[in-house]
Amino acid sequence: MSNPDLYGVLGRFEHPDALLEAIAELRKAGHSRLEAFSPYPVEGLSRALGERSRWLTVAALVGALLTALATYGMIWYSAVIDYPYVVGGKPLHSWPPFLLLAFVLAILAAVLVALVGMLMGNRLPRLYHPAFNVAAFSRASDDGFFILIRLERNPEDVERLRRRLDDLHALDIQEVPA
Amino acid sequence: MSRSVLILVLGLALGLCLIGGFFDPQGLAQAWLAAWLTLGFLSLGTMALLMVHGLTGGAWGNESKHLWKALAAATPLLALALLPLLLFLGGLFPWMAPAETLPEVVRHKQFYLNAPFFIGRTLFYLTAWCLLAWWLVRPSPARRWHAPGLILWALTVTFFSYDWIMSLEPRFYSDIFGIERMVFGVGGAMALGLALGAKPLRSGVRLDLANLWLATLLGWAFVNFAQLIIIWSGNMPDEILWYLQRGAGAWGWVGRASVLLFLVIPFAMLLPTQAKRRAGWLRAAALITLTGYLLHSQWLIWPSLPATAWAWLLTPAAVVALVAFCLLGLGASHRQALFAPARQASQGADEATLSVRQEVRHENP
């Protein structure tokens, strides 16, 4: 009988390819609650984990377009309706400079939406994670490539998960307390 | 396209041009100029791509090089096709008129805009481009010349644009005109290359090329808008007239349509990453851009010319004649690179791996 307040099982790999392979195997076997940690970005890792972030780009685009519209509307309102004042003989509705400001703020909005959305999607900033309780985990910022399988409801899975990681040649297999 | 078909097409188109030229030589010169300026910048643009790739390297160029080389190889032929126009300068450029009939602004520019200096400059540009093109289409151009080559290219294209496009309206002046022409040419050239040869490339290479192309289109938007807003804010008669002519009547709509086709639609099409990997999608975007390229080139040139009906009728014939002439002169292997690029691409990939290996060996002896 395993400890009921267990967060998951952690295994270390020496090489990013082994990590990707293990993730593919685990996902094939039906494990979906996986987390991966690596010292540097591994190409294809988020795809292997089944993470898809299509909404982020769409959100950035929508944010940019809305901001552009709102900016243009605001300048148009202030220059044409609220305080009509002829400058340099130009028409009140002078679209070239309006467009410039709308563009600049649209880019700013796209960047901010993408940044905030990325942080929210990754549940950042997060100062604590149960894996920090495992001493060997510090190698995740040095040379270790880790997989963490979060436990499902069933507590007696733990032994099977450890064997499973062992079959995949993981090292330092450990249980992570919650 | 076989050789005999090309000869037939060239003969027919040239025949049409000559018949038109018999009735209206000035119209023929204008049509030939418009056709040359439309096509010439495509070939010039590919030279910049080849030299940028020579400086940076990268799979995008290793595997698409055959396309750019085939297009750049047309430069000497185009240079040859520009020479006859040197006989018709009087019918094209207003500053050739007697000095006392010219406005004062233009009279001050005559130390630069006069026939002997103009012809000498043109011959210099054409010679420089021929040398660059011959050097670039060699199997492996020497590395150290890419940076000086790009500088020479940028200067010659800038002054060529001042001379042959901007001086059609000698009162008009814009600093940024040369850069606008360069970026426009590179954007159009990439569209032509992608329209012809996107299919056999690897999807990762297609993505890289599409991103570079998108950046080029955005660069053009930036430069072109900068020119517009500077001239619009200054509102000086000599400069704003150029835009007023191009905003009036039908030309205004041609200009809007060309920006929509050259920039806005392809920009929206190139936003999703997955779509940039698909050859059919890229080809569609490239064809739309090329349509915009054609329209924008006409929008730039024709409002400056006192065009006759003959000039209008002869322009398509001149374009066909120039294309057929270039294709004939390019030879079978370059034609194959453009129109049946599958075999060439796989060869290119082989060569690319070879050159990467050589580079690796060079760096780790």
Side-chain angles (χ1 to χ4, degrees):
Chain A
M1 185 69 193
S2 315
N3 188 348
D5 19 80
L6 214 54
Y7 182 77
V9 182
L10 186 73
R12 182 171 64 85
F13 295 89
E14 300 257 285
H15 201 266
D17 293 340
L19 177 79
L20 290 176
E21 228 167 84
I23 289 173
E25 286 292 316
L26 285 169
R27 278 174 58 85
K28 220 187 284 169
H31 297 281
S32 57
R33 295 159 64 92
L34 298 174
E35 290 177 29
F37 307 91
S38 64
Y40 56 83
V42 175
E43 201 191 334
L45 182 58
S46 54
R47 211 178 322 128
L49 283 168
E51 304 279 356
R52 306 189 61 164
S53 59
R54 298 204 100 150
W55 64 269
L56 190 59
T57 48
V58 176
L61 180 67
V62 171
L65 289 177
L66 287 180
T67 311
L69 273 179
T71 311
Y72 200 97
M74 185 191 73
I75 306 173
W76 176 81
Y77 173 78
S78 67
V80 178
I81 307 230
D82 193 39
Y83 197 76
Y85 190 79
V86 176
V87 180
K90 298 280 191 291
L92 291 174
H93 182 194
S94 295
W95 59 270
F98 292 10
L99 218 55
L100 208 62
L101 291 168
F103 174 78
V104 168
L105 286 190
I107 298 294
L108 179 68
V111 171
L112 286 181
V113 169
L115 178 69
V116 172
M118 182 273 288
L119 291 176
M120 277 166 57
N122 289 320
R123 283 176 241 128
L124 288 170
R126 184 178 183 184
L127 299 178
Y128 171 75
H129 192 280
F132 295 166
N133 290 325
V134 180
F137 185 69
S138 60
R139 290 181 71 172
S141 53
D142 182 8
D143 64 345
F145 298 84
F146 287 87
I147 287 186
L148 194 149
I149 310 176
R150 268 181 286 154
L151 288 192
E152 327 259 329
R153 304 261 149 78
N154 223 339
E156 61 256 67
D157 267 349
V158 175
E159 269 316 304
R160 204 168 58 83
L161 288 180
R162 295 187 67 125
R163 266 203 310 280
R164 180 90 220 162
L165 280 174
D166 198 44
D167 292 342
L168 293 167
H169 310 295
L171 311 161
D172 293 342
I173 302 166
Q174 294 181 51
E175 288 161 27
V176 179
Chain B
M1 249 177 281
S2 71
R3 209 179 139 76
S4 47
V5 176
L6 281 175
I7 293 178
L8 187 70
V9 172
L10 176 62
L12 277 177
L14 269 185
L16 266 177
C17 285
L18 288 179
I19 293 172
F22 178 73
F23 290 108
D24 182 4
Q26 192 189 347
L28 175 63
Q30 291 173 349
W32 196 259
L33 177 70
W36 198 97
L37 292 175
T38 307
L39 296 172
F41 277 85
L42 293 174
S43 184
L44 290 174
T46 56
M47 297 209 289
L49 274 177
L50 284 169
M51 284 184 280
V52 168
H53 178 253
L55 284 175
T56 65
W60 64 271
N62 289 336
E63 292 179 29
S64 61
K65 217 163 32 180
H66 55 283
L67 286 170
W68 317 126
K69 285 195 173 184
L71 290 171
T75 305
L77 300 163
L78 285 163
L80 202 62
L82 188 68
L83 291 178
L85 280 185
L86 290 176
L87 301 175
F88 291 93
L89 293 183
L92 292 172
F93 295 101
W95 46 263
M96 288 286 286
E100 55 278 6
T101 62
L102 293 172
E104 200 191 342
V105 169
V106 181
R107 251 181 285 156
H108 287 307
K109 291 184 184 175
Q110 277 201 319
F111 74 95
Y112 183 79
L113 293 177
N114 56 67
F117 193 23
F118 184 92
I119 293 171
R121 283 197 308 267
T122 301
L123 292 178
F124 172 73
Y125 307 144
L126 296 180
T127 317
W129 292 342
C130 287
L131 292 175
L132 278 177
W134 280 320
W135 164 66
L136 281 170
V137 295
R138 285 168 57 174
S140 52
R143 264 184 157 185
R144 64 183 148 169
W145 292 110
H146 284 107
L150 262 180
I151 295 173
L152 179 67
W153 180 86
L155 288 175
T156 46
V157 174
T158 300
F159 281 95
F160 178 84
S161 309
Y162 287 167
D163 288 359
W164 281 84
I165 307 177
M166 214 162 79
S167 85
L168 288 172
E169 228 159 304
R171 293 170 66 185
F172 175 68
Y173 174 74
S174 166
D175 282 325
I176 218 167
F177 199 78
I179 302 178
E180 191 266 336
R181 290 289 84 199
M182 285 185 233
V183 186
F184 186 71
V186 174
M190 292 190 84
L192 183 58
L194 285 172
L196 289 172
K199 198 152 204 177
L201 301 171
R202 280 190 296 131
S203 82
V205 170
R206 280 203 288 265
L207 178 68
D208 288 350
L209 275 174
N211 279 330
L212 286 171
W213 182 38
L214 181 63
T216 313
L217 292 182
L218 284 178
W220 180 76
F222 171 74
V223 176
N224 205 24
F225 190 75
Q227 174 176 297
L228 171 76
I229 203 163
I230 289 169
I231 291 178
W232 177 88
S233 316
N235 209 15
M236 304 303 277
D238 288 338
E239 290 160 11
I240 198 71
L241 261 176
W242 194 84
Y243 271 110
L244 289 180
Q245 277 174 358
R246 282 162 180 73
W251 283 120
W253 292 104
V254 172
R256 288 186 190 109
S258 71
V259 172
L260 198 69
L261 291 170
F262 185 78
L263 176 74
V264 180
I265 297 176
F267 171 74
M269 284 178 80
L270 290 176
L271 281 180
T273 306
Q274 287 311 315
K276 279 182 269 197
R277 296 176 180 271
R278 298 219 308 268
W281 185 262
L282 272 186
R283 165 177 279 206
L287 287 175
I288 292 173
T289 298
L290 280 178
T291 317
Y293 178 91
L294 288 178
L295 281 180
H296 197 82
S297 303
Q298 313 314 311
W299 176 85
L300 196 76
I301 301 160
W302 285 108
S304 306
L305 297 171
T308 58
W310 275 108
W312 285 97
L313 287 174
L314 288 175
T315 308
V319 170
V320 172
L322 268 177
V323 170
F325 174 64
C326 290
L327 287 177
L328 253 183
L330 279 180
S333 69
H334 283 311
R335 278 206 295 278
Q336 199 183 20
L338 289 174
F339 295 108
R343 211 168 53 89
Q344 295 267 344
S346 63
Q347 274 176 9
D350 293 346
E351 272 171 35
T353 29
L354 200 72
S355 75
V356 168
R357 268 190 221 130
Q358 281 166 349
E359 276 167 38
V360 169
R361 216 174 296 146
H362 178 71
E363 275 152 27
N364 315 301

